[in-house]
Amino acid sequence: MHSTGYTLRFIIILTAVVALLLTGLREVTKTQAELNETIFNKKEILKAIATRLGDDVDVSAMSDEEVENNFSRIEQLAVNIKGESIDAAKIMESGYKGGKAIDIDMAKEKKKNEEDRIFPLFVYGKGKDKIYILNVRGNGLWDEIWGNVAVESDFSTIVGVSFDHKGETPGLGAEIKDNPAFPKQFTGKKIRNENSDYVSVLVKKGGADKGNVHEVDGISGATVTADGVTEMLGRCIKYYEKYYEKNIKS
Amino acid sequence: MADTAIQDVKKKESGISFGKKERKLISDPLNDNNPITVQVLGICSALAVTSLILPSLVMSIAVVFVCMFASFFTSLLRKQIPNSVRMIVQLVIIAGLVTVVEFALKYFNFTVYKQLSVYIGLIITNCIVMGRLEAFAMANNPWKSLLDGLGNGLGYGAILLIIAFIRELFGKGTLFAGTGIEWKIIGASPDYMINTLDSTWFGWYANNNLMVLPAAAMFIIGILIWIQRSYNEKLVDIS
């Protein structure tokens, strides 16, 4: 039998060797992995405005260069809840090295107080055709859900949305992402009423009323996730409200 | 006396042959001793990732890799591993390999990494890997352990792919979705090979949403076990 000293030594050496090898491997793959993640996030944003990129554009099939090409036409801003623009230096101060809106980690921001958060805002196109892409993040049934909402220059008509989730049930809650028909419903809906007051969009259990521009159909068996989407949209789009009043409305 | 014993061990150790015994190490887990349908191990991930073929394929490759090399390294160290902490040592080896898989996925295909999310990490707790280390690799030479790991990984992967094939076909109407050679088999749109909207024979057909849910995999595994037992004599319970 082995002595305690031997056991201890064995464990320490084994752990050290494995840890060293993994750290080395991590260092080698890190740059590419981070690049892949950024591309992935950029694709999610492009998905929200896919209908405006051209006919039959399949964002998920895009090559890295195409993603970068399309994304270079998007202006990246960051705002806070008071409607003030946040510059690159401030973004870096918050711990995002790149200093761009795409670098902002919404999962981290969600843990801060609402007043301290910074929100990325992406702008595509010019003048009347401007599209604003807002970032939303909330809770589904099991874990976080998030997405991008693209609105026209009136800050009301939705151009498109893309959702993602961490751990919703496949076939039920995960349909917000897996079933293209769900995000598609949002296109053309309005987040403001005739008086241009903010009302958001409701994901309605049992189906939306026909012709109601503030409702979309829910998903059978995924009421909690759908309610999560409703809550997320209602709360998170509002974060951009002050910025809209100050900079866009006039 | 001691010398001959060492020589014997050396003779056994260096034997990288590929005879009948070695072939059996690979073929056994594919049928007679399949980790999923006979040993009923690794069910958790078999339910979770099999709604599409692509993530199942990646998962299978990952498990084959981890199972093979965890067996190999454990077997290499088997005489040095202190008995009292052998399980922890095995876990360190498995966890290290799984992390390698995770890095590789992040590096090569971030989308699939996102799809498999937590299940890659859960290979660490996949009973198949640990079971093989305990039952085989701790008592056999590295070459045989490697083959045993390969066989069990393949046995797991084969069942995963069968389940995923059935679930994707009947749940989504597609095959190999997301791989670039996506086949759209049956569905209510002109994109599909069989368009249920204007087909005389398949107008009634709709995708079965149950197939998308993890529960469907349970039924399919049950049916696979039933089929396997009804033709494989070795598995018939004689008691």
Side-chain angles (χ1 to χ4, degrees):
Chain A
M1 280 288 100
H2 299 289
S3 67
T4 316
Y6 175 84
T7 309
L8 218 62
R9 250 177 296 140
F10 184 87
I11 284 286
I12 290 170
I13 291 171
L14 180 80
T15 320
V17 169
V18 172
L20 239 137
L21 286 176
L22 288 181
T23 318
L25 196 65
R26 159 89 180 143
E27 282 307 310
V28 174
T29 56
K30 201 170 148 194
T31 333
Q32 182 67 34
E34 276 169 7
L35 199 73
N36 288 348
E37 188 167 3
T38 318
I39 295 275
F40 185 85
N41 291 338
K42 286 178 177 174
K43 271 188 183 173
E44 288 300 306
I45 290 165
L46 289 176
K47 269 182 200 165
I49 55 167
T51 48
R52 298 298 172 91
L53 294 173
D55 294 329
D56 280 335
V57 174
D58 184 4
V59 177
S60 30
M62 272 186 187
S63 70
D64 292 3
E65 291 89 50
E66 283 173 305
V67 171
E68 291 293 358
N69 256 335
N70 279 302
F71 205 81
S72 63
R73 281 185 272 152
I74 292 178
E75 198 188 338
Q76 303 188 34
L77 304 171
V79 300
N80 65 9
I81 198 163
K82 291 184 210 119
E84 299 159 343
S85 294
I86 307 285
D87 56 5
K90 272 249 181 77
I91 298 177
M92 280 192 238
E93 220 173 87
S94 303
Y96 308 112
K97 270 185 261 161
K100 290 214 169 124
I102 189 82
D103 301 314
I104 298 174
D105 183 355
M106 289 300 283
K108 267 191 206 161
E109 291 299 310
K110 201 173 158 234
K111 290 186 189 124
K112 296 183 188 168
N113 289 329
E114 284 187 350
E115 304 85 58
D116 301 331
R117 288 185 203 168
I118 45 178
F119 305 100
L121 176 65
F122 303 94
V123 187
Y124 179 81
K126 293 222 157 59
K128 272 251 163 219
D129 297 328
K130 253 188 190 175
I131 299 171
Y132 296 91
I133 305 156
L134 322 176
N135 213 299
V136 293
R137 195 172 192 100
N139 293 312
L141 173 60
W142 302 112
D143 216 317
E144 289 193 328
I145 53 175
W146 59 90
N148 297 290
V149 180
V151 290
E152 281 179 17
S153 54
D154 61 357
F155 229 68
S156 170
T157 315
I158 295 178
V159 175
V161 295
S162 66
F163 293 118
D164 203 348
H165 61 90
K166 199 168 176 188
E168 300 307 296
T169 321
L172 299 174
E175 292 286 282
I176 60 168
K177 178 185 178 220
D178 296 344
N179 188 348
F182 182 75
K184 220 176 185 176
Q185 297 183 83
F186 285 85
T187 306
K189 299 287 173 188
K190 288 182 192 301
I191 56 174
R192 285 167 199 289
N193 62 16
E194 297 81 15
N195 307 327
S196 97
D197 293 323
Y198 175 65
V199 289
S200 184
V201 175
L202 171 74
V203 183
K204 198 174 182 191
K205 188 178 175 176
D209 295 332
K210 268 210 178 119
N212 190 334
V213 290
H214 304 304
E215 285 179 2
V216 295
D217 295 341
I219 302 164
S220 333
T223 308
V224 180
T225 309
D227 288 350
V229 173
T230 305
E231 189 274 338
M232 168 172 85
L233 293 175
R235 181 170 47 82
C236 296
I237 296 176
K238 226 175 180 175
Y239 292 142
Y240 295 91
E241 195 67 9
K242 279 268 160 57
Y243 182 84
Y244 162 69
E245 279 169 11
K246 277 187 184 170
N247 298 289
I248 305 168
K249 204 174 178 183
S250 46
Chain B
M1 178 68 184
D3 277 1
T4 44
I6 289 169
Q7 266 177 5
D8 267 5
V9 171
K10 267 191 183 162
K11 215 174 166 188
K12 265 189 196 165
E13 289 279 287
S14 60
I16 302 188
S17 58
F18 197 74
K20 208 176 169 190
K21 261 190 188 162
E22 281 76 14
R23 271 200 295 276
K24 211 168 147 47
L25 283 176
I26 295 182
S27 65
D28 240 18
L30 287 176
N31 186 0
D32 295 346
N33 199 14
N34 189 287
I36 293 184
T37 57
V38 180
Q39 300 173 40
V40 199
L41 295 175
I43 296 294
C44 173
S45 52
L47 300 189
V49 301
T50 51
S51 63
L52 293 173
I53 290 175
L54 176 64
S56 314
L57 187 66
V58 176
M59 187 73 181
S60 307
I61 295 169
V63 170
V64 168
F65 171 81
V66 172
C67 209
M68 260 171 88
F69 289 98
S71 290
F72 179 74
F73 288 123
T74 310
S75 174
L76 265 186
L77 293 170
R78 72 184 187 281
K79 294 199 181 102
Q80 279 80 44
I81 295 175
N83 203 33
S84 49
V85 291
R86 63 178 199 286
M87 288 224 165
I88 299 187
V89 171
Q90 291 161 7
L91 268 181
V92 170
I93 294 171
I94 300 170
L97 288 165
V98 169
T99 316
V100 171
V101 171
E102 211 169 316
F103 287 162
L105 271 182
K106 270 191 195 169
Y107 188 88
F108 290 111
N109 197 333
F110 199 83
T111 320
V112 174
Y113 168 73
K114 276 274 176 185
Q115 255 173 13
L116 288 169
S117 62
V118 66
Y119 296 107
I120 286 293
L122 282 181
I123 297 176
I124 299 172
T125 57
N126 192 324
C127 324
I128 297 171
V129 185
M130 199 123 182
R132 287 334 286 172
L133 298 191
E134 268 290 283
F136 198 90
M138 286 301 280
N140 287 283
N141 71 31
W143 169 242
K144 276 189 183 162
S145 302
L146 190 82
L147 292 178
D148 179 72
L150 174 69
N152 277 280
L154 290 176
Y156 168 85
I159 299 293
L160 232 65
L161 288 176
I162 295 173
I163 301 170
F165 181 87
I166 299 171
R167 282 181 72 185
E168 186 173 348
L169 182 58
F170 293 107
K172 298 237 170 196
T174 60
L175 286 176
F176 309 108
T179 54
I181 50 154
E182 182 171 351
W183 293 352
K184 295 191 162 184
I185 308 287
I186 189 163
S189 130
D191 297 347
Y192 292 89
M193 282 176 210
I194 303 170
N195 181 5
T196 52
L197 290 180
D198 62 21
S199 159
T200 336
W201 295 101
F202 289 99
W204 51 271
Y205 183 85
N207 283 330
N208 188 343
N209 205 26
L210 173 69
M211 281 296 174
V212 184
L213 298 176
M218 205 80 213
F219 296 128
I220 299 171
I221 291 175
I223 293 169
L224 286 179
I225 293 177
W226 180 17
I227 295 173
Q228 194 190 11
R229 297 219 162 211
S230 60
Y231 81 80
N232 192 332
E233 289 165 6
K234 286 182 198 157
L235 296 174
V236 177
D237 191 358
I238 42 167
S239 60

